Amino acid sequence: MYNRGIRGATTVAHNEEQEILDATAELLKKVVAANEIMPEDICSVWITVTPDLDAAFPAKAIRVLQGWDMVPLMCSTEIPVKNALPKCIRLLIHVNTNKAQREMKHMYMNEARSLRPDISGQA
């Protein structure tokens, strides 16, 4: 068994708590479904937001999902790079799996598709 990283990112239109929570939950659910994983397979999830998103901790959206209460979650702010994609939520999911790294399906939604156009249509 290997520990693999799966990336995901999305954007929101507004710095509003419910919008951030909804977008985070939607992104996580799509990554989990695309990769056919369960919370028990997850080692941890690193969540970052751009500095313009401060209305909510995105981890709050994940902790309330059934089976996710014991998954270690960490939120952080992205470094403020000039001209970076605004209002972006990113996930790095560390998962135990027998799949090869190339089999991991990364998910880029909304304006975040521009971050990785080479793989944003994968899942």
Side-chain angles (χ1 to χ4, degrees):
M1 186 155 297
Y2 303 98
N3 186 256
R4 304 287 187 202
I6 305 171
R7 283 295 317 271
T10 191
T11 55
V12 293
H14 307 97
N15 181 29
E16 295 176 359
E17 180 179 19
Q18 198 58 54
E19 191 171 347
I20 293 168
L21 298 178
D22 291 346
T24 302
E26 178 186 21
L27 176 61
L28 178 78
K29 289 175 183 179
K30 287 188 176 195
V31 170
V32 166
N35 287 282
E36 300 175 331
I37 53 178
M38 299 173 51
E40 298 83 35
D41 301 325
I42 308 293
C43 299
S44 62
V45 180
W46 187 266
I47 309 155
T48 64
V49 295
T50 49
D52 52 1
L53 294 180
D54 62 3
F57 290 108
K60 180 179 176 182
I62 298 172
R63 281 196 187 96
V64 298
L65 299 175
Q66 185 165 349
W68 287 85
D69 57 324
M70 296 305 293
V71 176
L73 307 171
M74 178 65 73
C75 293
S76 181
T77 305
E78 285 283 333
I79 58 172
V81 174
K82 194 174 189 176
N83 300 317
L85 180 66
K87 295 184 178 67
C88 188
I89 303 163
R90 293 173 172 90
L91 302 179
L92 174 57
I93 302 169
H94 303 102
V95 60
N96 290 316
T97 182
N98 288 317
K99 294 180 181 180
Q101 187 66 54
R102 290 230 172 257
E103 293 178 84
M104 300 295 98
K105 294 183 175 114
H106 308 279
M107 182 73 57
Y108 292 84
M109 299 167 44
N110 302 318
E111 299 302 314
R113 288 185 181 108
S114 67
L115 297 172
R116 288 297 305 266
D118 58 321
I119 60 173
S120 64
Q122 241 186 22

